[in-house]
Amino acid sequence: MKVACSNCNLRELCMPVGLSAHELARIDEVVAVRRKVKRGTTLFRNGEVFQSLFAIRTGFFKTCVTAEDGRDQVTGFQMAGEIIGLDGIVNDHHTCDAVALEDAEVCVMPFDRIGELSREVNALQHHVHRIMSREIVREHGVMLLLGSMRAEERLAAFLLNLVQRLHARGFSRSELVLRMTREEIGSYLGLKLETVSRTFSKFAEDNIVEVRQRHVRILDTAALRRIVNQQPAS
């Protein structure tokens, strides 16, 4: 399917701002194809040759690696307006699987073409560097989360981050539908499934959130922030 960045409502999320009409037209030539990805299928797999970055147009993805014991370890969740595939830049092969958590559509961005165009459109090169930098910062944040936070802090930080990203896409500040399972959340946060379920229940008992299966309504955002920012007892 042919695609044009110039008339996409997610343009400001995944493309540089302030491009001229000519520069946008040049990018339209590069981002030439959309691909549909059915729920449960992979966009790319660990070990596959890296050729393209993918801008998520609709849908939700998880990235995961297979641990030594054979279990899937979730390394991230990605949504519309975000770029995936950056893991393949380092050694020309993907280092994780990207799996659609719901029917999705992505814009295919051949990396060699992006490289060529970046020499003409400086803003594009700067934007790719910003995306890569953001990914590094995110990974550092996850390491901090897993290294020093208790279960309640991890889940509170996860919910705050998710709702903030969704709000940037025009969704509610307080209501969200979880596209991932409790088990996948646990895998990402380094928590057992029972711990995730128990922590959700505690948040509900404390009137911080309201949970109905995958529908979550945040009743007290300030309380979630206090949980994340609480100081350890001296």
Side-chain angles (χ1 to χ4, degrees), residues 83-115:
I83 309 283
I84 54 175
L86 293 160
D87 60 289
I89 294 174
V90 179
N91 62 9
D92 298 326
H93 286 79
H94 287 290
T95 58
C96 63
D97 295 349
V99 183
L101 294 177
E102 59 183 353
D103 288 353
E105 189 175 80
V106 299
C107 301
V108 182
M109 304 158 65
F111 194 65
D112 56 351
R113 299 281 303 283
I114 291 174

Side-chain angles (χ1 to χ4, degrees), residues 42-135:
T42 55
L43 177 59
F44 55 79
R45 290 185 179 278
N46 182 13
E48 261 182 36
V49 174
F50 167 70
Q51 294 177 317
S52 301
L53 296 176
F54 303 94
I56 304 171
R57 183 169 165 78
T58 60
F60 224 97
F61 284 82
K62 69 173 179 181
T63 45
C64 52
V65 294
T66 303
E68 286 182 14
D69 60 7
R71 286 180 304 164
D72 275 351
Q73 169 68 50
V74 176
T75 57
F77 298 105
Q78 298 80 20
M79 63 182 71
E82 294 180 342
I83 309 283
I84 54 175
L86 293 160
D87 60 289
I89 294 174
V90 179
N91 62 9
D92 298 326
H93 286 79
H94 287 290
T95 58
C96 63
D97 295 349
V99 183
L101 294 177
E102 59 183 353
D103 288 353
E105 189 175 80
V106 299
C107 301
V108 182
M109 304 158 65
F111 194 65
D112 56 351
R113 299 281 303 283
I114 291 174
E116 290 167 16
L117 188 58
S118 292
R119 289 190 280 277
E120 291 178 42
V121 183
N122 288 336
L124 181 60
Q125 186 175 47
H126 179 65
H127 187 67
V128 171
H129 289 165
R130 267 185 60 206
I131 292 167
M132 293 169 74
S133 174
R134 193 167 62 210
E135 191 67 12

Side-chain angles (χ1 to χ4, degrees), residues 171-191:
F171 293 97
S172 167
R173 281 183 184 274
S174 59
E175 295 194 36
L176 61 153
V177 178
L178 297 173
R179 306 301 180 189
M180 66 293 290
T181 64
R182 302 281 194 278
E183 194 168 9
E184 287 165 336
I185 293 171
S187 174
Y188 178 62
L189 296 178
L191 299 171

Side-chain angles (χ1 to χ4, degrees), residues 182-217:
R182 302 281 194 278
E183 194 168 9
E184 287 165 336
I185 293 171
S187 174
Y188 178 62
L189 296 178
L191 299 171
K192 288 187 164 61
L193 171 60
E194 312 84 72
T195 306
V196 174
S197 298
R198 193 167 59 242
T199 307
F200 264 118
S201 296
K202 185 177 189 314
F203 285 175
E205 286 165 18
D206 294 343
N207 290 317
I208 296 172
V209 302
E210 188 180 90
V211 184
R212 292 181 183 166
Q213 295 176 318
R214 294 200 178 196
H215 290 258
V216 176
R217 188 160 159 247

